Amino acid sequence: MKMKIKISRCDPMGKGGCEPYLQGYDIEAKEGMTILDALHFIKDEQDGTLSFRRSCRSAICGSCAVNLNGFPKLACKTQLISEYKKKGAIVIEPLSNYQVIKDMVVDFNPFWDKINKVEPWLNQKDNLPVPLGTDLKSVPKKGGAVGLSGEKKWQTLDKKAVLKINNSSKCIMCGCCNAACNTLEIDKHFIAPAALAKAWRFVGDERESQSQKRLAKLSREHGMWDCVRCIHCTEYCPKDVAPLQAIERLRAEAIKEGVIDNDGARHVESMVDSVKRVGRLDEAAMTFKTLGFLRSLGMIPFGLKMEIHGKMPMPLIFPQIEKIEEVRKIYEEIEKKKRQVEVKVEE
Amino acid sequence: MNEPLKYAYYPGCASQAITKEANSTTRKIAQVLGIELYDMPKANCCGAGLLTDYDYDLSIALNARIFAQAEEMGMDIMTICSTCLMVMSTANRDLKNNPHLFKKTNEILTGAGIRYNGTVEIKQLLWVLAEDYGLDKLKNKVKKPLKNLRVAPFYGCHSLRPSDALGFDDPERPWSLEAVIEALGAEVTEYNGKTKCCGFQVDLVAEGAAVEMTGKRLLDAKGEGGRCMVTPCPFCHINLDNYQGMAERKLSQKIDMPVFHLSQLVGLALGMTAEELELSRHLVSTKHVLAETKVII
């Protein structure tokens, strides 16, 4: 099957500086060919100046992510002909939200900086059977990982505890999620989904001792509460890491751990209250609870404009749903279950 | 004669307060089209994702309570809010795919005297028009084709993603909103950003970023020649319309992009008046664009 592939070219060393333009290549697509195969074919047979990152060709090294017809994909994991049939075109560009170095090669330094910011390592609790720095000879052999010479090295997790963080630990750092992230598009300082998924890998690890400190750091400006829940990260992750799920779990954990002195957590808590109280979202109360009294005053000019158009939510008369007692009962049942779990842990 | 379409109608919280006009105009067009909407007076809030940020199990149980009501009514749910659509569809997917969660949730519901059997589907007005009702039938109902009106479709995030939970349109090449716009006789404006985020979720948490995001989407649409916008989501409407003034100030340029709820655009083509469609509730006036294109003089 003959087709034209358009590839974004940009060479900062060339004459024109780095203003990207699309260059067309005619190729004969064969059944089973991936986007990466096509890039290789073009580089080998037609244009040796084309630059792109690649290594394993097996969707595990995370090097070959590109924007394909506008969406981030691993070039090695995407079939050429089916993509062409689906979209009617093949346009390959560098990942969005990154600076281009040449052609498809982008600067990954900001990506690694964000990963480093979440301190991607485990700080094991002291009270576990094998804390760091223990004299390994003194540790009994039951449970935990065992080193080559038979000494005990590290406390392992049971299956349930692994499942909690399993998605996050599948990340191959290809950067697709950050390329798709709508918040990062607006705010380049945003910590972004890849690092947040990595953060959950450690916050959600039952051996971790610094969770609360981590959550406090993540709750600052440009942190986890700035995510707009656009779901692009989860949609375009090629390894089902589901970064948004990690973000939701981080947020829930922060509230559970009492890291709540910020607008994001207050926003959530006001929703939880509102649904319990009237069964619905009470917009006026929510604004007030999230922003507090003084900053809510700042909303008055906007509120007046809304009032003129009949859009001001009524703060005082808020009708509750029928059978609100059922909703409250569900809250009670959830609390009861939580207490049971806590008792079990203590036992 | 086919049976009329019947849905358990879930307008969502926003459209019972701040965007009431989306709710009332949906009821009006449904009546003209012959789609029967049945109220759910017991229905609680879906949580808009915020309950998931607090306690996943609570969020699932409260959503299952909504589904159980529709199940009792023997109908699927139709919502006019994309965020409700996303939250409910995600909860329904998890309940149907995870037997352990299904059992646990029903144990919680039993305490409140409720049971959900997993038989309900969640739909959005957009899907009902594009598929259940059908574009041909919709075309036949058009009294006043919206000729010369260049409409920029704005899906936002939650009517398209996560696609494995929604299972309707293609988030990379969506068609439903464009198809409805064309069925109404209007022209579709293609632009970058129609499937991106309006910023609503962080309005109260990171207002600067939210406003900038809103402005960017509006300017993209304007840059491609869109004269107005339509969205199937009331939260997107809040940002695109109510926050447009703030976006103009932040980006220091005039935008002037009227934004319609999907139901209002349909209503215009069905020949309804500005009063019937409650267009005065918008902060960005729709008068000029409707006069220019002789939709409403």
Side-chain angles (χ1 to χ4, degrees):
Chain A
M1 179 181 188
K2 284 193 191 321
M3 67 170 74
K4 190 181 263 327
I5 292 183
K6 288 183 186 160
I7 301 179
S8 173
R9 301 302 307 271
C10 161
D11 181 6
M13 311 293 274
K15 275 188 214 154
C18 197
E19 192 56 48
Y21 61 95
L22 286 180
Q23 188 168 344
Y25 297 94
D26 293 306
I27 73 158
E28 176 72 36
K30 296 194 179 82
E31 202 59 51
M33 215 172 178
T34 62
I35 298 292
L36 184 61
D37 291 335
L39 286 169
H40 268 297
F41 176 79
I42 291 165
K43 188 172 173 71
D44 293 347
E45 306 286 333
Q46 299 184 9
D47 186 347
T49 69
L50 182 65
S51 299
F52 51 94
R53 286 202 180 100
R54 72 283 190 196
S55 178
C56 77
R57 309 182 191 204
S58 310
I60 200 66
C61 75
S63 305
C64 69
V66 292
N67 256 23
L68 177 60
N69 289 326
F71 298 94
K73 302 273 165 73
L74 288 183
C76 69
K77 204 188 168 203
T78 313
Q79 287 288 314
L80 178 62
I81 291 178
S82 57
E83 175 75 12
Y84 185 78
K85 281 186 179 158
K86 201 173 147 199
K87 307 280 178 65
I90 298 287
V91 180
I92 307 174
E93 292 167 295
L95 292 176
S96 309
N97 294 341
Y98 295 80
Q99 285 283 328
V100 179
I101 294 174
K102 182 174 183 292
D103 299 339
M104 245 51 60
V105 180
V106 295
D107 181 8
F108 249 63
N109 282 328
F111 176 93
W112 298 121
D113 288 346
K114 290 175 196 301
I115 296 282
N116 285 337
K117 262 193 195 144
V118 304
E119 301 178 2
W121 55 80
L122 191 68
N123 306 288
Q124 191 166 253
K125 286 173 184 160
D126 288 339
N127 58 357
L128 287 178
V130 194
L132 271 182
T134 308
D135 176 8
L136 296 170
K137 282 176 204 141
S138 68
V139 178
K141 280 191 183 159
K142 202 181 154 203
V146 176
L148 280 177
S149 51
E151 83 281 24
K152 207 159 152 180
K153 293 181 73 177
W154 198 257
Q155 180 62 29
T156 51
L157 292 171
D158 66 22
K159 196 179 162 195
K160 209 175 153 198
V162 170
L163 281 178
K164 222 171 99 184
I165 52 171
N166 196 32
N167 280 354
S168 290
S169 61
K170 288 191 292 194
C171 176
I172 59 169
M173 314 250 185
C174 65
C176 281
C177 55
N178 283 14
C181 174
N182 278 211
T183 303
L184 193 58
E185 183 191 348
I186 299 293
D187 174 12
K188 68 176 174 13
H189 301 295
F190 179 50
I191 187 78
L196 288 169
K198 187 56 72 191
W200 173 250
R201 158 68 188 83
F202 296 104
V203 170
D205 190 312
E206 289 180 0
R207 299 163 297 187
E208 171 66 26
S209 63
Q210 303 297 313
S211 286
Q212 202 173 24
K213 219 170 108 194
R214 287 175 185 272
L215 290 164
K217 203 172 152 195
L218 291 168
S219 297
R220 293 184 203 151
E221 205 186 350
H222 312 298
M224 62 178 176
W225 293 105
D226 285 12
C227 158
V228 290
R229 204 188 303 273
C230 71
I231 323 187
H232 283 66
C233 55
T234 295
E235 185 76 31
Y236 298 111
C237 171
K239 303 303 275 187
D240 293 331
V241 169
L244 177 61
Q245 187 191 51
I247 294 169
E248 289 172 343
R249 288 176 174 182
L250 284 169
R251 287 170 169 181
E253 193 68 18
I255 292 174
K256 210 171 104 190
E257 292 282 325
V259 185
I260 48 174
D261 188 19
N262 59 73
D263 289 348
R266 276 192 290 271
H267 194 212
V268 168
E269 288 196 315
S270 63
M271 174 64 114
V272 174
D273 286 349
S274 174
V275 175
K276 193 174 180 181
R277 190 159 45 81
V278 289
R280 293 204 268 147
L281 181 159
D282 179 348
E283 285 145 338
M286 194 143 165
T287 306
F288 194 77
K289 277 191 188 153
T290 306
L291 299 181
F293 177 67
L294 276 177
R295 283 194 294 155
S296 294
L297 288 180
M299 296 290 279
I300 285 179
F302 180 62
L304 286 175
K305 208 172 163 193
M306 297 280 280
E307 177 61 32
I308 294 168
H309 294 268
K311 289 215 159 213
M312 196 57 191
M314 279 294 119
L316 298 176
I317 358 157
F318 205 89
Q320 67 184 34
I321 59 163
E322 285 178 22
K323 304 234 168 159
I324 181 78
E325 63 278 7
E326 288 180 5
V327 168
R328 291 177 189 152
K329 186 80 196 159
I330 289 172
Y331 272 74
E332 262 173 46
E333 292 289 323
I334 293 279
E335 287 305 319
K336 211 157 74 185
K337 279 221 183 277
K338 267 191 205 166
R339 279 197 300 272
Q340 281 165 359
V341 173
E342 273 162 27
V343 170
K344 251 186 218 164
V345 170
E346 274 166 27
E347 278 168 4
Chain B
M1 190 65 192
N2 289 340
E3 274 277 297
L5 296 170
K6 292 178 182 178
Y7 299 98
Y9 178 49
Y10 187 88
C13 297
S15 298
Q16 294 178 71
I18 202 162
T19 54
K20 279 201 279 229
E21 68 281 2
N23 182 9
S24 54
T25 55
T26 298
R27 290 176 190 276
K28 285 173 195 164
I29 65 159
Q31 201 169 23
V32 175
L33 298 174
I35 299 171
E36 294 180 10
L37 303 180
Y38 293 85
D39 284 336
M40 306 176 74
K42 286 191 288 182
N44 50 269
C45 171
C46 71
L50 296 179
L51 287 179
T52 329
D53 289 348
Y54 175 74
D55 187 309
Y56 174 77
D57 291 343
L58 175 67
S59 165
I60 294 289
L62 287 171
N63 276 281
R65 179 177 176 270
I66 307 171
F67 308 155
Q69 286 167 57
E71 201 165 60
E72 223 176 82
M73 296 160 76
M75 295 172 198
D76 285 337
I77 293 174
M78 184 190 94
T79 177
I80 53 170
C81 173
S82 300
T83 297
C84 298
L85 175 79
M86 178 280 286
V87 172
M88 291 197 285
S89 303
T90 309
N92 209 18
R93 172 198 64 188
D94 291 359
L95 282 165
K96 288 181 183 183
N97 290 352
N98 183 345
H100 173 69
L101 181 70
F102 188 83
K103 189 169 162 261
K104 187 165 84 173
T105 303
N106 268 313
E107 278 166 18
I108 292 164
L109 292 180
T110 308
I114 306 167
R115 184 174 167 80
Y116 175 50
N117 296 310
T119 62
V120 170
E121 297 293 332
I122 324 294
K123 296 180 178 191
Q124 145 86 284
L125 169 66
L126 174 61
W127 305 357
V128 167
L129 293 175
E131 195 172 72
D132 295 10
Y133 191 74
L135 295 163
D136 289 336
K137 221 167 136 191
L138 182 63
K139 258 183 229 166
N140 288 337
K141 291 274 184 183
V142 170
K143 274 195 188 151
K144 201 188 227 172
L146 307 176
K147 264 185 269 172
N148 308 320
L149 189 62
R150 291 193 310 275
V151 186
F154 188 81
Y155 285 92
C157 301
H158 298 162
S159 57
L160 295 170
R161 281 168 291 263
S163 55
D164 68 335
L166 301 179
F168 183 78
D169 214 332
D170 177 354
E172 292 180 21
R173 217 166 55 141
W175 58 271
S176 54
L177 195 48
E178 287 84 346
V180 170
I181 293 171
E182 280 170 358
L184 303 176
E187 230 177 88
V188 172
T189 301
E190 272 301 327
Y191 67 105
N192 197 356
K194 68 178 177 184
T195 70
K196 288 190 178 174
C197 180
C198 66
F200 176 81
Q201 288 259 347
V202 295
D203 277 357
L204 292 179
V205 179
E207 192 185 89
V211 168
E212 200 175 326
M213 215 175 267
T214 304
K216 203 167 177 188
R217 308 301 174 234
L218 289 162
L219 285 172
D220 273 357
K222 194 178 175 174
E224 297 297 332
R227 193 56 192 88
C228 63
M229 234 181 204
V230 66
T231 177
C233 177
F235 287 138
C236 295
H237 193 274
I238 289 173
N239 268 43
L240 296 167
D241 179 62
N242 303 358
Y243 276 55
Q244 196 173 125
M246 280 190 230
E248 286 179 336
R249 283 193 292 282
K250 179 151 178 120
L251 303 171
S252 316
Q253 46 186 316
K254 193 86 191 130
I255 300 176
D256 189 26
M257 175 75 75
V259 187
F260 294 102
H261 295 288
L262 176 61
S263 51
Q264 288 174 323
L265 198 73
V266 175
L268 284 171
L270 296 178
M272 292 178 189
T273 63
E275 288 72 36
E276 281 176 292
L277 295 172
E278 298 173 48
L279 296 177
S280 65
R281 288 179 56 81
H282 293 198
L283 266 63
V284 180
S285 170
T286 58
K287 270 185 195 154
H288 299 301
V289 64
L290 294 178
E292 267 167 38
T293 50
K294 301 194 172 58
V295 174
I296 290 179
I297 307 167

